[in-house]
């Protein structure tokens, strides 16, 4: 179902978190964590995006490449507020998934609830297992002399 991900992008994300903790930008977004699994006749991908406004999420698919971009903006914009602790990373987050031909990318369903963006992608009819009838000619019996 899920063909591959870019391992170097993940390495870059981890390096940024360890060494300089730089927020993602539109030209250099930070990767977002995800879970992916098959549930019955659909493939489910859940992206962890707590604190992101649903209007700040973009979903695009082109040639079986699914791109998810989201921006976490500061929740407090009032200049008179003095922030005491700010641990949630701000900035742009992005992830690309290369979807196989066995998924029906025309029927993707997206839902954002409790900080989790869940995509449900149906398995294409051509990829579902099916029984094949076997037809044959006349069954002939042979006698064996022992």
């Amino acid at each position: 179902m899920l063909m591959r991900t870019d391992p170097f992008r993940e390495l870059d994300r981890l390096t940024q978190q360890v060494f300089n903790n730089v927020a993602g930008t539109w030209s250099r977004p930070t990767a977002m964590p995800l879970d992916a699994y098959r549930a019955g006749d659909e493939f489910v991908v859940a992206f962890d995006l707590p604190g992101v406004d649903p209007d700040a999420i973009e979903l695009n698919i082109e040639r079986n490449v699914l791109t998810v971009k989201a921006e976490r903006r500061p929740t407090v914009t009032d200049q008179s507020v003095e922030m005491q602790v700010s641990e949630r990373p701000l900035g742009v987050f992005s992830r690309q998934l290369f979807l196989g031909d066995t998924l029906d990318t025309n029927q993707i369903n997206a839902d954002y609830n409790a900080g989790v963006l869940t995509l449900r992608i149906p398995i294409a009819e051509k990829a579902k297992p099916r029984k094949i009838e076997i037809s044959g000619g006349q069954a002939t019996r042979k006698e064996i002399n022992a």
Side-chain angles (χ1 to χ4, degrees):
M1 303 305 149
L2 183 63
M3 293 176 61
R4 64 181 183 268
T5 58
D6 185 359
F8 297 107
R9 184 178 200 128
E10 287 299 305
L11 183 62
D12 185 44
R13 179 184 68 84
L14 290 172
T15 305
Q16 285 181 6
Q17 284 181 345
V18 170
F19 292 112
N20 55 2
N21 201 16
V22 175
T25 64
W26 284 102
S27 60
R28 185 179 275 256
T30 302
M32 64 186 78
L34 66 84
D35 291 331
Y37 55 92
R38 182 175 176 165
D41 284 344
E42 62 185 7
F43 188 69
V44 181
V45 185
F47 296 93
D48 190 21
L49 295 170
V52 174
D53 183 10
D55 294 333
I57 300 173
E58 288 182 16
L59 289 173
N60 295 309
I61 188 155
E62 182 178 347
R63 295 185 187 160
N64 287 359
V65 177
L66 174 72
T67 304
V68 180
K69 279 194 174 184
E71 183 177 12
R72 184 178 295 127
R73 300 174 181 124
T75 55
V76 179
T77 56
D78 188 6
Q79 297 297 331
S80 63
V81 173
E82 182 180 334
M83 185 64 76
Q84 298 298 312
V85 177
S86 179
E87 293 181 347
R88 294 189 328 179
L90 302 176
V92 179
F93 302 87
S94 177
R95 193 74 182 255
Q96 283 189 323
L97 300 177
F98 297 89
L99 304 176
D101 292 332
T102 59
L103 298 175
D104 187 359
T105 56
N106 293 323
Q107 301 295 323
I108 295 176
N109 182 9
D111 179 49
Y112 183 72
N113 187 13
V116 178
L117 174 65
T118 304
L119 304 180
R120 296 184 180 282
I121 310 166
I123 306 296
E125 286 298 319
K126 66 182 180 182
K128 292 180 182 177
R130 61 191 183 280
K131 290 194 179 222
I132 299 171
E133 296 280 334
I134 300 173
S135 63
Q138 293 282 338
T140 58
R141 264 188 184 193
K142 292 185 180 180
E143 285 189 29
I144 300 175
N145 293 328

